[in-house]
């Protein structure tokens, strides 16, 4: 096991709480010795705090955030937050920009995420997809957010329907309802990064103009679901809703789609409402993992 190096000196001295050596003080400096191993709740307070900080750091992407602001956001004493961040930095879970003192998620998190499978999420969400497919008579699928976009991990197709298989495929973000459901719930800076390359017009209905796309993303967020009218493949129409996690950030997208003659635009409102409800069910199932 690696032994962490001594943390660098930064704003911990300014916190004025050098006596807080065990990380057991809340924002007001009052000791709060909550559940450590063997306690009544079975939770480890310091680990909970570290996880909360890591999630807040991830939510601050792509610019990152200072230890002071992260501490405030998580309701922690600044010195406690700084020590936890410094420890996580030694293990590559977060990275600190030496010029701005802003923290971002480290490479170790990406490495662990790439090693993780989706079996648990698929197992808990497959019943929701099956119910949606049976109720609509169309294909329902689930895509997960990964570093460079979205990848489809599960799909349920009505037995009498022949349809394209999307499992394992990545979605063009600007030309699918799946991709637009992700983009609509991301900060503008992240959208710009994901759409840095020229937008390909796959069909004559693909929105390849960035101004029009931004306007559509704003409408998408307002109504709660995205739509696609033959923008990736001319005959495929569908709707999608984001599966939201911490701070309303999408970690997956649930979609309902089919050929134009069975999924005309007139069905979009009803299918969109159904997709939103199903996405909420998947989110609840994921929290139970």
């Amino acid at each position: 096991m690696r032994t962490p190096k001594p943390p660098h000196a930064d704003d911990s001295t300014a916190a004025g709480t050098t006596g807080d050596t065990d990380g057991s003080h809340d924002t007001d400096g009052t000791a709060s010795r909550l559940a450590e191993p063997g306690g009544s709740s079975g939770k480890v307070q310091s680990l909970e705090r570290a996880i909360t900080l890591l999630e807040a750091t991830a939510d601050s992407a792509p610019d990152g955030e200072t230890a002071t602001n992260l501490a405030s956001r998580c309701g922690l004493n600044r010195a406690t937050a700084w020590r936890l961040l410094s420890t996580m930095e030694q293990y590559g879970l977060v990275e600190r920009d030496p010029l701005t003192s802003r923290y971002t998620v480290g490479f170790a998190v990406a490495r662990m995420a790439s090693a993780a499978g989706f079996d648990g999420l698929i197992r808990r969400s497959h019943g929701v997809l099956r119910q949606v497919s049976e109720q609509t008579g169309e294909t329902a699928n689930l895509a997960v957010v990964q570093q460079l976009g979205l990848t489809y991990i599960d799909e349920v197709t009505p037995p009498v329907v022949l349809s394209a298989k999307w499992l394992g495929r990545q979605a063009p973000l600007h030309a699918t309802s799946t991709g637009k459901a992700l983009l609509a719930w991301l900060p503008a800076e992240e959208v710009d990064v994901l759409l840095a390359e020229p937008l390909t017009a796959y069909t004559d209905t693909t929105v390849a103009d960035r101004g029009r796309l931004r306007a559509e993303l704003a409408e998408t967020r307002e109504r709660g679901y995205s739509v696609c009218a033959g923008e990736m493949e001319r005959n495929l129409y569908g709707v999608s809703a984001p599966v939201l996690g911490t701070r309303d950030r999408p970690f997956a997208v649930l979609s309902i789609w089919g050929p134009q003659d069975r999924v005309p635009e007139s069905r979009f409102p009803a299918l969109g409402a159904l997709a939103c409800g199903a996405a909420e069910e998947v989110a609840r199932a994921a929290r139970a993992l």
Side-chain angles (χ1 to χ4, degrees):
M1 175 182 292
R2 292 183 296 171
T3 301
K5 304 173 187 175
H8 21 238
D10 89 1
D11 61 354
S12 62
T13 304
T17 54
T18 55
D20 180 16
T21 58
D22 63 357
S24 60
H25 286 71
D26 289 330
T27 310
D28 61 1
T30 304
S32 59
R33 308 205 174 268
L34 301 178
E36 293 293 337
S40 59
S41 72
K43 297 180 181 179
V44 180
Q45 184 190 24
S46 57
L47 182 57
E48 285 187 312
R49 288 173 165 175
I51 292 171
T52 300
L53 277 171
L54 187 59
E55 289 179 336
T57 303
D59 290 340
S60 71
D63 296 328
E65 192 54 272
T66 64
T68 299
N69 289 342
L70 287 170
S72 175
R73 186 178 299 178
C74 298
L76 296 176
N77 177 283
R78 189 169 65 177
T80 300
W82 177 80
R83 276 192 297 277
L84 290 170
L85 287 166
S86 295
T87 301
M88 287 192 287
E89 183 182 4
Q90 299 305 317
Y91 288 94
L93 298 174
V94 299
E95 294 180 0
R96 177 180 177 272
D97 187 318
L99 297 179
T100 65
S101 292
R102 289 177 176 269
Y103 288 88
T104 55
V105 170
F107 177 75
V109 175
R111 177 177 54 80
M112 288 186 283
S114 65
F118 301 109
D119 290 350
L121 180 59
I122 292 172
R123 184 174 61 253
R124 289 180 177 271
S125 62
H126 188 77
V128 177
L129 296 182
R130 185 174 62 249
Q131 182 177 4
V132 168
S133 180
E134 291 173 352
Q135 186 173 346
T136 63
E138 306 301 338
T139 298
N141 54 26
L142 186 70
V144 293
V145 178
Q146 296 188 302
Q147 188 172 8
L148 298 178
L150 288 159
T151 301
Y152 293 93
I153 63 168
D154 197 15
E155 180 176 274
V156 176
T157 302
V160 296
V161 172
L162 294 177
S163 67
K165 296 296 183 182
W166 283 77
L167 291 182
R169 295 174 62 179
Q170 288 194 323
L173 298 182
H174 70 290
T176 58
S177 64
T178 312
K180 287 186 281 187
L182 169 64
L183 295 173
W185 271 263
L186 290 180
E189 308 81 35
E190 291 188 52
V191 173
D192 290 340
V193 171
L194 289 171
L195 299 180
E197 299 296 323
L199 304 182
T200 301
Y202 295 97
T203 71
D204 56 2
T205 61
T206 304
V207 180
D209 177 80
R210 294 179 187 278
R212 284 182 55 206
L213 181 59
R214 290 191 185 95
E216 182 176 346
L217 295 179
E219 294 174 7
T220 293
R221 181 148 187 161
E222 184 174 346
R223 71 173 167 249
Y225 63 90
S226 60
V227 302
C228 178
E231 297 169 43
M232 174 59 187
E233 297 183 21
R234 192 178 305 277
N235 191 43
L236 289 184
Y237 280 46
V239 302
S240 297
V243 181
L244 302 177
T246 306
R247 300 183 186 276
D248 286 341
R249 186 180 178 86
F251 65 88
V253 176
L254 186 143
S255 304
I256 306 170
W257 56 273
Q260 180 183 7
D261 60 344
R262 291 205 315 269
V263 186
E265 293 184 53
S266 59
R267 288 190 72 188
F268 283 177
L271 293 177
L274 184 60
C276 289
E280 290 177 3
E281 286 189 55
V282 173
R284 286 194 296 271
R287 286 194 291 269
L289 287 173

